Amino acid sequence: MNEAVERLVDLRWPSQVKSAYDVVIIGGGGHGLATAYYLATRHGITNVAVIEKGYIGSGNSGRNTTIIRANYGIPEAVRFYQHSLEMYGRLEQETGRDVMHATKGLLWIAHSEAGVRQERARAEINTAFGSKTEYVDPKTIQDICPQLDMTGQGVWPIYGASYHPSGASARHDRVVWAYAEGAMRLGVHVHQRTAVTGFLRDGDRVVGVETTAGSIAAGVVVSAVGGHVTTLASMVGLRLPIRTHQLQAFVTNRYAQAFGPIVASSGLGVYASQPAKGEMLIGAEIDRAPAYAYDAGHSFLRSCAFRSIALLPFLRDLRVLRQWTGVCDMSADYSPIMGFTGVPNLLVTTGWGTWGFKAIPAGGEQMAELIATGRTPALIAPFALDRFANDRTMADRGSAGTH
Amino acid sequence: MHAPERLHCTRIVATPTALDTAAWPGGAVVLRVAADEALVAAPVELDVVSDPHAIVEPETAFCGVWVEVEEALAFLERECDWELPTERPAFAQGAVAGLPVKLWFAADGDDRVLFVVPAPFVVDFVERWS
Amino acid sequence: MVTDSVLTHLLRRGEYLTDGGALCLGGDCPHCLATVDGVAYVRTCQTPFRQRLSVQAHPAGDLPRLESRGERAPVPARTIHCDVVVIGQGPAGRRAAEEARTDGKHVVTLDSGDGQDAIGIYPGPLVVARTNDSMWQLYPRDEIIVATGAAEIQPVAPGNDLRGLVTARATTVLAAAGVTLGRVVAVGTPPEGVVATSVSGELVRFEPAAADPRRVGAVVLRDSLGTEHSHPCDTVSLGLGLTPRDALLRMARGMNVRGVGDVLLPPDVPPCPLDGTVCPCSGVTVEDLRSVHARGFCELDLVKRATLAGTGPCQGAACVPHIRAFLAAQGADLPTPFTARPVTRQLTLGEVAAGAHHVATPRTALDAEHRALGAHMERLGGWWRPWHYGDVEAEYTAVRTGVSICDVSTLGKMQVSGPDAVALLEHLYPVPISSLATGRSRYVLMLDERGYVADDGLVCRDGDTRFTLTFTSGGSTFAELWVRDWAESLKLDVRVMNQTMSLGAINVTGPRAKELLVRAGVTDPPGFLRHGTATVAGVPCRLFRLSFTGEVSFELHHAAADSVTLWQGLMRLGADLGVRPHGLEALMKLRLEMGHIIVGQDTDFDSTPRRLNHEWAVRLEKPSFVGRAAILRTNKLPLDRQLCMFEMDGNAPAEGATIWLGAEYVGDVTSSTWSPTLGRSVMLGWVRLQPGGNDEPDELPTKVSIDGQHARRVTRRSFDPEGIRARA
Amino acid sequence: MTIRRLRISCPHCGVRAVEEFVHGEIPTIPEGIVEPEARDLDRAFMHTNAEGVVVERWFHAFGCRRWLTLARDTRTNDIPDNRG
């Protein structure tokens, strides 16, 4: 039997949609399912439905580049992502499922004096808040990743890098399934192919959702949708500081493992890694104009391939297998938005932009605690929606990067 | 291709009507880079346009090189992804070899193309031509 | 015989590159992949054979290695604008191309037989194709015609990885190519033009030959009564049905794309597979399909993700028909195939990168001068700029004690003219503009609608309706967009000329700057924050008197063509004054002693004037300007942090160092330098206000620690606090 | 051809790739928000982020360096009334 199949979970789908749940979570991606999982496992709240318009993990959870890191630029973000990174490290043990988690180390490369300054600053703030990151010189970089062209084709010489040894990756689908299985085993309902078409209201309050499978009453409704959150929020007149952008990536064929770390370059705007199956996974920055289209672009593929070869010349002879596009919800300050919305009984976890995968465990855990206790946990309090009105934005240079 | 040389031009920002009706120096190449802007490859008197608020300035930040049309088209087939004008003479501008380039296709009978490149990008342009 | 492929050439010699599997020779199956000239995963059936081609099998039981063969010539790109692109030159494609040509259309055809593979149809519409010598980008004005035909269905049964299995069409091709086939047994549609024994029944298994266990020796079929029959053979020809190669059609939905010929066939659905390998690329068996289905992975995409079937080099060509049949047999509706995504034919990153360029970094007119002087050049603010000339200390000293020049051509420069020029600038800037006298300059912040500082610079009045604006090097691109957008949105009658690239700028600075200018022919240098014109060393210039370094400074704006003359003239005339150029590293030190901020380095995304301690540069009594409403709104909220100046003894900490109040983090350093004049380090940094306690207002900490050293916040710079030197 | 997704027709320069342009948003503040401070906050941070046709601005950085206004469908990137 195929080794991938052997270690797979059992998904026990509910036989029917109930007319009411304590909690309805919209969006069966990593964040929605992790929230359901922690509601069930940590708080004993199991009368929960996760409503997914496609199949679980069919949105950004299944389209991302699976990078886990905590080397952000502001203390609030470093704390949050470091917590998430540590939770990822324990996820296999906790769920009893193989999510193909591997610590790889992450190099963030500087090609200029300004880049050096930025990477030194990144190392400082991360180390100060418990996420080990050190500034490394070219010789150390070469030891960590011998495949790098230290001259950047003579155009983008490598001056130094910040090195984040705990940078990791995991198999995106398996993370989604581990949470889905764990939640469903405790009685959570996950309804695939069910789309939310509206909200049930009682005055200001949200009291449930209208879906393609009928009306569902709910004590609390949580939006954990990626990309389309403003459209959903507009159904209750809620305005969000979110724009939706396309993010593209591509993979090559599979090759024998030889490329250890995750490598990112702000100067070149690309990053590359070799996940467990052996393909090289390469991504770049978001497309600039907001869009919900899933079209793959040629100029992205061409330019991204070109830039990645400048960093890693061996890529030139690898064969491109497939490119794809996801649509990311990007907040006005490039940080996530979690918690209360001002609309009673409606919560959001959104603004996950290009960095949602790494936040799945902590995002789910903290949202579950908020739902269970009705109070915002300290770890995510800085990421509340009202920060924009309160002039307390979480602008993060370490987040506005590429992955 | 010869190395592009710095052009001594005049750059004029004025109302579109003033530019439409200006009497340019005879024989000068006039590139209409925008509805309200012209780049004239010659010295121009301040009062060439009727707009009293026009900004008329000497412009030396462009380099130019004349290329035989055949060589030009071969280069453009590799380095330009937009459709070139077919009439002559003609002006066109856009990304060529990843740089903001202006093209002047000379009148019929003069089978040459003038490539106009911002001087700050000339080193890159020459590199990308070869 | 037509062109020989690498695969047919080897098969004729009895050589195999892979374990086995049903060869299709149509570029669909994964059974002929090998490493060709250092590139792995090449379809040898689509690779024309030539001498001295290096062909290697992939490592047995392992994946190909990640390695580079070193330099390769870049692949050229071609862009072709035409009316019609026809993809595929089988009978249907040829006919479609002829028809379009008859209609007078400019037609480009792509024939995979000639090595021309369309890899995708992209928005544009754009057809991208890999050819033997270049990458083509085809922009059709009218139509794309897809005539890619259909692929043959692969067999799923135990033993389907043996050698000697060939699809029916491939059997014909191999026979014509002179490959020895031996006894041929044909299952399903028989091969054309090849002598074969046709057999029928349900496919049960392929059995290895006694002489060579890697080769097929017999095919076993079951008749309608359930009896198995073994048919000894050397080759099995498999005519199991067709499935359209319609990925290009599907990815081009919404564009003017039309299919012709077999690509429009409804896909044949093979019988539900019972045993054997379904996906040869990922090694997925029928048993695996049953297993994942039983565990709740019931739809095509989930089966794909659970088993990884369809994610290998053939991208589902072999397995998808069978998985669809499997799922249909479990009671599901016949699922539609996966979303089609580029690339439909594989190519290397080197090929796909054809025609791409790095974003070019512009150079000032003095670039060659700097390099000749041995400058270390850096990309900063979007330009190549001199970081230093080898001796930062000497560069610093020249500014503080003598005279120095600096290339500041990268500064944003813009002229605005017109009846509404004053109205525009009053709207854009948070300080009064109409009261600025002709010939005077004013430092300005540029705010966005959130009240955040987007840039800073000068407004210089040249006349009643004419102004010169300057911006930072990094901010000038944004500034042009910003100014034009507001001028248009407000429907103002103005002319705007961005002269950032047009004009060179050289800053002459130092206690002896005036002396140098006088030597260069300036009889009456302008006073502080004034500007004028003069001929300097023979070059017509506009002179702006200001100071970023803290010393007397004149910024000389001039035509870019004259930069070298002016630079060399100043260097010559100032030789005995000890003039030398300074780079950015020295400039950073000089301005930091003065406490001057750099927008982008010291500012953040959400830097309001209040947070930057620059409220003096905002006149809220002005009735309206961009950002005013936001500043009024945020001023009602308590201040949380502020950019402050610090001093400490000892070496300068790294920029980005964290600032601590006891054990509590309170901020970080944005700029930091050792001040030779003061004999200590000076810094700018963000600090969070601390609760005042007992109903006292929040306050900024005074004594903090940075890098384990004591540092103190200063409310006033120590270096020339009155600014006497700059005004001298 | 009627559909040229993300090829933008500049009225001065002609049809060009989207990479030649810089995108600009036209803020839309719902009429329902009336209080000036609330309108300012909405303008500063909120986005309609419509799934559908939006009117927006593009600056032709590689050509005439002027803004143009067009309508684009964010679901498909089709530009219905832009000749190109």
Side-chain angles (χ1 to χ4, degrees):
Chain A
M1 184 176 278
N2 183 312
E3 138 192 62
V5 174
E6 208 172 348
R7 295 175 297 179
L8 210 60
V9 300
D10 269 303
L11 301 175
R12 298 176 194 172
W13 304 108
S15 52
Q16 59 174 38
V17 181
K18 292 200 284 184
S19 60
Y21 294 90
D22 293 341
V23 182
V24 165
I25 298 168
I26 309 170
H31 280 276
L33 292 164
T35 302
Y37 174 89
Y38 290 112
L39 277 173
T41 56
R42 300 265 172 101
H43 305 284
I45 299 173
T46 57
N47 186 23
V48 175
V50 178
I51 310 290
E52 167 55 49
K53 75 174 173 184
Y55 58 90
I56 56 169
S58 55
N60 291 342
S61 294
R63 293 167 192 275
N64 65 84
T65 47
T66 72
I67 287 161
I68 299 165
R69 63 179 179 92
N71 54 346
Y72 278 70
I74 52 175
E76 294 82 357
V78 175
R79 276 197 207 105
F80 174 79
Y81 289 104
Q82 177 63 22
H83 180 61
S84 202
L85 182 143
E86 288 166 13
M87 287 182 74
Y88 257 123
R90 299 188 299 267
L91 188 59
E92 295 190 346
Q93 200 185 353
E94 170 164 355
T95 61
R97 291 299 168 193
D98 178 8
V99 298
M100 298 165 79
H101 179 271
T103 300
K104 305 175 79 71
L106 188 152
L107 276 173
W108 210 313
I109 289 167
H111 304 271
S112 65
E113 293 288 351
V116 166
R117 194 176 161 278
Q118 186 181 326
E119 296 317 317
R120 281 188 190 281
R122 193 197 299 275
E124 278 273 344
I125 193 83
N126 280 274
T127 304
F129 287 90
S131 176
K132 192 181 173 212
T133 304
E134 57 179 328
Y135 182 79
V136 288
D137 64 9
K139 192 187 163 304
T140 312
I141 294 171
Q142 194 81 95
D143 289 344
I144 296 168
C145 187
Q147 292 99 335
L148 282 165
D149 176 353
M150 299 304 286
T151 75
Q153 277 184 340
V155 186
W156 291 93
I158 294 175
Y159 281 36
S162 67
Y163 182 59
H164 183 45
S166 53
S169 76
R171 180 81 192 168
H172 48 15
D173 288 331
R174 284 171 172 267
V175 171
V176 169
W177 300 335
Y179 280 122
E181 181 190 42
M184 287 199 274
R185 202 165 37 200
L186 292 174
V188 169
H189 280 191
V190 178
H191 300 292
Q192 299 193 117
R193 302 287 171 199
T194 306
V196 169
T197 55
F199 288 91
L200 303 174
R201 306 288 292 274
D202 177 5
D204 274 357
R205 286 166 57 231
V206 165
V207 295
V209 289
E210 298 276 8
T211 76
T212 50
S215 299
I216 305 172
V220 178
V221 176
V222 185
S223 165
V225 307
H228 304 266
V229 64
T230 49
T231 306
L232 191 74
S234 71
M235 294 176 187
V236 287
L238 174 65
R239 301 267 291 166
L240 292 172
I242 297 280
R243 272 191 286 223
T244 300
H245 295 263
Q246 292 169 283
L247 180 73
Q248 307 198 43
F250 70 94
V251 287
T252 68
N253 275 313
R254 296 170 194 154
Y255 297 86
Q257 285 292 337
F259 188 77
I262 301 159
V263 171
S265 157
S266 300
L268 282 160
V270 291
Y271 61 98
S273 64
Q274 188 180 25
K277 299 306 292 180
E279 68 275 23
M280 287 297 301
L281 183 50
I282 297 159
E285 69 278 19
I286 57 167
D287 293 0
R288 291 169 304 182
Y292 293 87
Y294 286 93
D295 293 319
H298 178 250
S299 60
F300 153 76
L301 181 63
R302 181 169 83 156
S303 158
C304 190
F306 180 76
R307 288 177 279 151
S308 55
I309 292 169
L311 202 60
L312 297 162
F314 75 89
L315 290 173
R316 183 179 38 216
D317 286 348
L318 306 194
R319 291 204 131 191
V320 180
L321 184 65
R322 188 172 74 255
Q323 66 175 118
W324 70 91
T325 302
V327 295
C328 317
D329 35 309
M330 191 67 82
S331 77
D333 62 359
Y334 301 96
S335 283
I337 298 168
M338 286 177 270
F340 297 109
T341 60
V343 177
N345 297 353
L346 178 64
L347 306 177
V348 289
T349 174
T350 183
W352 288 113
T354 62
W355 47 83
F357 178 74
K358 61 187 65 59
I360 286 172
E365 177 200 52
Q366 299 289 307
M367 284 300 291
E369 185 177 334
L370 189 157
I371 294 162
T373 64
R375 289 187 305 276
T376 304
L379 194 61
I380 61 168
F383 299 106
L385 175 60
D386 63 11
R387 69 179 185 265
F388 296 95
N390 292 340
D391 190 29
R392 295 292 181 267
T393 60
M394 288 287 125
D396 185 349
R397 292 182 197 187
S399 168
T402 50
H403 59 282
Chain B
M1 185 196 65
H2 300 289
E5 287 174 13
R6 204 175 274 278
L7 299 173
H8 288 265
C9 303
T10 308
R11 189 163 156 219
I12 303 146
V13 175
T15 60
T17 321
L19 291 175
D20 290 343
T21 55
W24 305 113
V29 172
V30 179
L31 308 181
R32 189 68 175 268
V33 299
D36 62 353
E37 182 170 342
L39 185 65
V40 185
V44 166
E45 294 301 317
L46 273 175
D47 57 0
V48 70
V49 285
S50 56
D51 176 4
H53 296 283
I55 305 172
V56 182
E57 291 287 341
E59 179 59 82
T60 61
F62 291 96
C63 294
V65 58
W66 285 98
V67 180
E68 294 300 319
V69 74
E70 204 167 303
E71 188 188 354
L73 292 179
F75 174 72
L76 291 168
E77 188 184 65
R78 291 198 308 275
E79 295 290 359
C80 171
D81 76 351
W82 40 272
E83 209 163 353
L84 300 169
T86 48
E87 71 276 20
R88 297 288 182 269
F91 168 67
Q93 59 187 349
V96 173
L99 304 170
V101 170
K102 303 179 194 306
L103 301 172
W104 175 255
F105 294 84
D108 276 335
D110 180 2
D111 285 339
R112 296 183 308 157
V113 182
L114 176 66
F115 283 74
V116 178
V117 183
F121 293 118
V122 155
V123 170
D124 299 278
F125 179 75
V126 171
E127 252 177 43
R128 291 170 190 194
W129 187 287
S130 56
Chain C
M1 197 171 68
V2 216
T3 338
D4 214 1
S5 71
V6 167
L7 179 66
T8 51
H9 178 84
L10 292 173
L11 288 177
R12 204 179 306 115
R13 298 173 12 174
E15 291 176 24
Y16 277 83
L17 284 164
T18 63
D19 284 347
L23 291 168
C24 75
L25 272 68
D28 301 306
C29 79
H31 303 307
C32 72
L33 298 172
T35 301
V36 177
D37 271 352
V39 176
Y41 292 103
V42 171
R43 288 196 158 83
T44 52
C45 76
Q46 306 283 296
T47 310
F49 174 77
R50 45 191 173 81
Q51 297 296 335
R52 285 193 297 281
L53 205 59
S54 148
V55 181
Q56 293 166 304
H58 289 174
D62 199 1
L63 295 165
R65 287 158 50 96
L66 272 180
E67 57 192 348
S68 175
R69 283 168 37 102
E71 286 300 307
R72 262 184 214 278
V75 180
R78 275 183 78 185
T79 296
I80 303 168
H81 296 267
C82 58
D83 296 321
V84 176
V85 173
V86 182
I87 305 166
Q89 285 295 283
R94 282 202 303 273
R95 199 171 328 114
E98 263 165 47
E99 281 167 14
R101 286 199 184 98
T102 310
D103 288 349
K105 304 287 189 192
H106 174 197
V107 180
V108 174
T109 60
L110 296 171
D111 184 359
S112 61
D114 277 349
Q116 299 163 335
D117 280 329
I119 64 152
I121 299 177
Y122 290 94
L126 162 66
V127 178
V128 179
R130 191 187 67 86
T131 75
N132 288 326
D133 56 6
S134 57
M135 288 295 299
W136 290 4
Q137 299 182 65
L138 304 165
Y139 290 98
R141 296 178 200 100
D142 292 348
E143 194 178 30
I144 299 165
I145 295 172
V146 175
T148 42
E152 294 176 274
I153 289 177
Q154 289 275 315
V156 176
N160 64 353
D161 55 351
L162 290 169
R163 293 173 178 172
L165 310 185
V166 195
T167 66
R169 287 182 190 162
T171 309
T172 305
V173 177
L174 289 184
V179 175
T180 309
L181 299 174
R183 275 177 303 171
V184 179
V185 165
V187 179
T189 312
E192 281 177 32
V194 180
V195 177
T197 310
S198 279
V199 296
S200 59
E202 188 185 3
L203 186 58
V204 177
R205 65 182 171 274
F206 302 97
E207 290 179 343
D212 180 355
R214 290 176 304 174
R215 244 199 110 80
V216 70
V219 57
V220 178
L221 295 116
R222 190 183 290 125
D223 66 20
S224 53
L225 301 171
T227 312
E228 289 187 1
H229 301 275
S230 177
H231 305 278
C233 58
D234 300 306
T235 298
V236 184
S237 164
L238 295 146
L240 303 180
L242 297 175
T243 177
R245 291 191 196 103
D246 60 358
L248 288 169
L249 271 183
R250 287 189 286 123
M251 78 176 59
R253 272 187 196 136
M255 291 184 256
N256 273 8
V257 177
R258 173 164 66 98
V260 295
D262 285 356
V263 74
L264 294 175
L265 287 175
D268 286 330
V269 181
C272 174
L274 300 175
D275 197 7
T277 298
V278 176
C279 167
C281 302
S282 298
V284 178
T285 62
V286 178
E287 190 193 351
D288 293 329
L289 296 186
R290 288 200 193 99
S291 165
V292 300
H293 193 269
R295 296 173 191 218
F297 292 81
C298 302
E299 51 181 285
L300 184 61
D301 278 290
L302 281 176
V303 170
K304 167 187 166 180
R305 287 172 177 275
T307 60
L308 301 178
T311 64
C314 87
Q315 287 288 286
C319 66
V320 167
H322 300 287
I323 300 176
R324 295 178 73 211
F326 171 83
L327 290 173
Q330 315 305 313
D333 294 335
L334 193 63
T336 48
F338 311 142
T339 309
R341 294 197 180 103
V343 295
T344 56
R345 282 288 188 260
Q346 291 178 24
L347 72 174
T348 64
L349 268 75
E351 288 168 328
V352 82
H357 296 287
H358 290 299
V359 173
T361 305
R363 298 157 197 263
T364 74
L366 294 168
D367 191 77
E369 290 295 309
H370 302 316
R371 290 175 199 266
L373 287 164
H376 167 68
M377 302 298 285
E378 275 288 320
R379 287 183 178 91
L380 200 85
W383 289 77
W384 281 113
R385 304 187 68 184
W387 190 248
H388 60 68
Y389 299 85
D391 189 342
V392 177
E393 202 183 317
E395 293 166 33
Y396 168 89
T397 308
V399 177
R400 284 281 177 256
T401 64
V403 60
S404 175
I405 58 177
C406 183
D407 179 7
V408 293
S409 303
T410 58
L411 286 171
K413 309 168 216 72
M414 182 183 288
Q415 284 198 49
V416 177
S417 151
D420 294 332
V422 171
L424 173 64
L425 302 186
E426 287 286 12
H427 186 74
L428 289 181
Y429 291 116
V431 288
I433 300 298
S434 54
S435 59
L436 185 66
T438 297
R440 301 294 291 260
S441 309
R442 181 163 291 164
Y443 173 82
V444 284
L445 294 177
M446 185 191 251
L447 304 178
D448 66 16
E449 286 170 295
R450 297 157 167 176
Y452 300 158
V453 173
D455 202 6
D456 65 353
L458 292 181
V459 174
C460 313
R461 190 158 200 169
D462 302 326
D464 279 354
T465 57
R466 196 173 280 251
F467 293 83
T468 298
L469 314 179
T470 70
F471 308 95
T472 64
S473 305
S476 66
T477 307
F478 169 78
E480 183 183 6
L481 271 58
W482 184 244
V483 171
R484 289 193 188 283
D485 188 29
W486 277 112
E488 285 185 34
S489 306
L490 299 170
K491 298 189 167 53
L492 296 177
D493 187 6
V494 291
R495 324 281 174 269
V496 174
M497 183 187 281
N498 181 355
Q499 292 191 289
T500 302
M501 287 192 182
S502 316
L503 301 178
I506 295 172
N507 191 31
V508 183
T509 181
R512 304 184 80 174
K514 239 182 251 180
E515 200 178 336
L516 176 55
L517 284 192
V518 170
R519 286 192 194 188
V522 182
T523 49
D524 185 19
F528 192 62
L529 284 184
R530 289 172 188 264
H531 54 95
T533 57
T535 299
V536 186
V539 172
C541 291
R542 296 189 68 194
L543 281 67
F544 297 83
R545 174 85 189 271
L546 44 98
S547 179
F548 193 52
T549 61
E551 305 297 334
V552 172
S553 302
F554 298 91
E555 215 168 88
L556 312 181
H557 293 201
H558 54 277
D562 296 332
S563 282
V564 173
T565 309
L566 179 59
W567 179 269
Q568 291 179 346
L570 291 166
M571 289 289 278
R572 194 178 58 247
L573 293 165
D576 64 308
L577 300 175
V579 69
R580 60 188 302 158
H582 64 278
L584 291 170
E585 198 174 339
L587 183 61
M588 294 291 163
K589 196 180 276 290
L590 293 157
R591 65 91 197 184
L592 194 47
E593 287 180 329
M594 293 299 290
H596 291 316
I597 64 164
I598 292 183
V599 174
Q601 172 160 337
D602 300 304
T603 63
D604 240 328
F605 161 88
D606 58 356
S607 294
T608 55
R610 182 169 61 145
R611 286 194 175 109
L612 290 177
N613 211 356
H614 271 54
E615 283 181 288
W616 54 268
V618 177
R619 295 295 173 78
L620 287 169
E621 63 271 23
K622 260 183 75 168
S624 82
F625 55 85
V626 176
R628 182 175 183 269
I631 288 178
L632 289 174
R633 172 168 53 76
T634 55
N635 275 355
K636 292 180 194 161
L637 299 161
L639 182 66
D640 57 342
R641 66 188 198 280
Q642 202 162 41
L643 188 71
C644 299
M645 198 168 180
F646 292 90
E647 293 183 0
M648 66 189 257
D649 299 325
N651 290 333
E655 293 177 344
T658 44
I659 304 176
W660 299 82
L661 183 64
E664 191 179 352
Y665 162 89
V666 290
D668 33 40
V669 172
T670 59
S671 293
S672 163
T673 196
W674 167 258
S675 164
T677 307
L678 299 175
R680 53 183 181 266
S681 293
V682 291
M683 291 146 281
L684 284 171
W686 286 105
V687 219
R688 299 180 176 192
L689 277 79
Q690 301 301 306
N694 297 333
D695 297 329
E696 293 295 311
D698 294 352
E699 57 186 22
L700 288 163
T702 308
K703 290 185 160 64
V704 295
S705 72
I706 303 173
D707 258 5
Q709 306 290 314
H710 294 295
R712 57 202 168 274
R713 181 172 59 85
V714 294
T715 49
R716 195 170 195 204
R717 64 170 181 258
S718 302
F719 182 87
D720 189 19
E722 308 292 341
I724 294 162
R725 299 171 70 100
R727 289 180 171 80
Chain D
M1 214 174 272
T2 49
I3 301 167
R4 284 187 187 241
R5 285 186 283 186
L6 278 198
R7 302 271 292 169
I8 290 174
S9 181
C10 169
H12 188 76
C13 303
V15 176
R16 296 292 185 274
V18 67
E19 287 77 17
E20 293 198 12
F21 298 83
V22 178
H23 174 262
E25 190 179 86
I26 300 176
T28 49
I29 308 166
E31 283 176 14
I33 302 176
V34 288
E35 198 264 316
E37 196 162 294
R39 288 188 71 79
D40 179 62
L41 187 65
D42 193 275
R43 181 193 291 108
F45 294 110
M46 302 303 167
H47 305 290
T48 301
N49 197 31
E51 280 189 68
V53 176
V54 294
V55 178
E56 61 192 5
R57 307 261 280 160
W58 290 84
F59 182 81
H60 192 193
F62 277 72
C64 59
R65 301 192 68 82
R66 297 296 184 275
W67 288 99
L68 59 93
T69 303
L70 55 73
R72 176 178 62 104
D73 190 329
T74 59
R75 294 165 299 186
T76 56
N77 282 327
D78 290 347
I79 300 168
D81 61 354
N82 187 251
R83 276 200 55 79

